[in-house]
Amino acid sequence: MALDESFIGRTYPPEPIYEVSREKIREFAVAIGDDNPLYRDAEAARGAGYRDVIAPPTFAMIISLTATNAVTHDPELGLDYSKVVHGDQQFIHHRPMVAGDRLIGQVTIDDIQSRAGNDMLTVRGEITTEAGERVCTSIGLMVARGTA
Amino acid sequence: MSIRYADVEEGHELPALTATITRADLVRYAGASGDFNPIHWNERFAKEVGLPDVIGHGMLTMALAGRLVTSWTGDPGAVVDYGVRFTRPVVVPDDDKGAEVEVTGKVTAKLENNTVKVMIQASSGGLKVLAKAQAIVRLS
């Protein structure tokens, strides 16, 4: 059964604060095999004009994944998560994430479509500071194969 | 280490890179990212849901391909927009060699505010694993 299109535009409650730490950035940088000093060396990062070490461009997925799970596991929406694959992903960085940032992710369902038997769900995550400064916008297309 | 906007022409090719993904890399990325979907580490589960074998996280492929750009600029904070389409999974065999992902890219447009558009190609086993992969990068 196709997903209920009345969920388009629905915004989910904000996630708890995520604090960006030097160690998590280092761990993520190791996992993606990137030895850039701006991820590990606070002095080098300050030399490049940042307050502290910065996060890799796809680090934002840690926050957007948790926030997106609120949608993909929403029993009211009823998506069959075992059939979900990631179709597209985009990160728009309003500024780099920096160690020490305290961030809040909040997702909105921007679109629902049924195409070729698949349910296609566009989920936008807005990641902001506690003060409301926009840091990153994450736009992901989740595809549930054969569920529509 | 910094690339100047004025020095970059359309068509400029970024230094290519080849990344290897082993099962150990998938476990490490699962822990670092929080994505513990069993299709990325459990062969039995992956086959039950119709996959040929364990597959890599699409987001890991995206991150590896992104290294093409961050290695070029030196400053990962210069990436203001990065998007990809996942066209095909990277199948990761249970051996020590793993899967190879080959990444190339070039500057396809010079935009306003000292930014350039980089189009990225990523393939594994000769097949494209990403499409419409592009980054907008702010240069000095």
Side-chain angles (χ1 to χ4, degrees):
Chain A
M1 204 174 80
L3 294 176
D4 180 355
E5 291 183 7
S6 73
F7 276 74
I8 297 171
R10 179 171 295 206
T11 297
Y12 286 72
E15 291 291 318
I17 289 170
Y18 180 91
E19 186 165 331
V20 179
S21 73
R22 287 179 179 175
E23 290 306 327
K24 192 67 189 180
I25 290 174
R26 185 202 309 268
E27 180 188 0
F28 193 88
V30 168
I32 66 169
D34 194 332
D35 59 5
N36 195 302
L38 301 194
Y39 302 143
R40 298 149 204 270
D41 179 345
E43 283 305 313
R46 278 193 277 272
Y50 300 109
R51 189 184 69 233
D52 203 323
V53 292
I54 62 169
T58 61
F59 184 89
M61 69 82 58
I62 295 172
I63 301 170
S64 65
L65 174 70
T66 308
T68 300
N69 282 343
V71 178
T72 51
H73 293 85
D74 179 355
E76 283 185 49
L77 179 64
L79 191 67
D80 182 351
Y81 189 64
S82 71
K83 301 210 165 69
V84 170
V85 295
H86 205 159
D88 306 347
Q89 180 62 44
Q90 180 183 15
F91 296 108
I92 301 161
H93 293 286
H94 309 296
R95 68 160 171 82
M97 286 183 186
V98 183
D101 276 341
R102 290 167 56 81
L103 303 175
I104 297 168
Q106 184 166 28
V107 290
T108 298
I109 298 178
D110 269 0
D111 199 16
I112 293 174
Q113 288 191 26
S114 302
R115 200 181 296 157
N118 300 325
D119 277 312
M120 323 262 283
L121 191 68
T122 303
V123 180
R124 174 171 47 87
E126 294 291 352
I127 300 172
T128 63
T129 65
E130 286 175 284
E133 178 196 7
R134 295 176 84 200
V135 176
C136 178
T137 302
S138 158
I139 301 168
L141 177 72
M142 314 309 289
V143 180
R145 293 172 299 168
T147 57
Chain B
M1 91 179 199
S2 126
I3 308 274
R4 284 158 40 99
Y5 179 80
D7 296 339
V8 174
E9 301 293 336
E10 277 180 26
H12 174 81
E13 299 223 3
L14 278 62
L17 71 85
T18 301
T20 302
I21 304 177
T22 65
R23 291 283 179 90
D25 294 322
L26 297 183
V27 173
R28 191 175 291 111
Y29 184 78
S33 69
D35 183 348
F36 292 99
N37 189 327
I39 60 175
H40 304 307
W41 53 268
N42 183 330
E43 190 167 321
R44 172 178 51 80
F45 183 89
K47 288 181 172 168
E48 272 174 19
V49 298
L51 295 166
D53 204 335
V54 162
I55 63 168
H57 304 74
M59 292 300 303
L60 174 57
T61 305
M62 182 178 185
L64 297 175
R67 277 171 39 196
L68 185 85
V69 176
T70 56
S71 301
W72 176 59
T73 63
D75 179 1
V79 177
V80 294
D81 190 324
Y82 179 34
V84 305
R85 170 161 296 173
F86 304 106
T87 52
R88 198 176 273 112
V90 175
V91 177
V92 180
D94 183 17
D95 60 25
D96 296 331
K97 288 189 294 189
E100 284 199 339
V101 179
E102 288 166 3
V103 188
T104 61
K106 64 181 174 185
V107 174
T108 57
K110 293 187 76 169
L111 309 172
E112 58 193 5
N113 297 324
N114 279 14
T115 60
V116 298
K117 179 156 93 173
V118 176
M119 292 296 297
I120 301 165
Q121 311 286 332
S123 62
S124 184
L127 300 169
K128 275 175 72 168
V129 293
L130 298 178
K132 296 186 175 176
Q134 68 169 55
I136 308 294
V137 187
R138 183 174 294 124
L139 302 176
S140 55

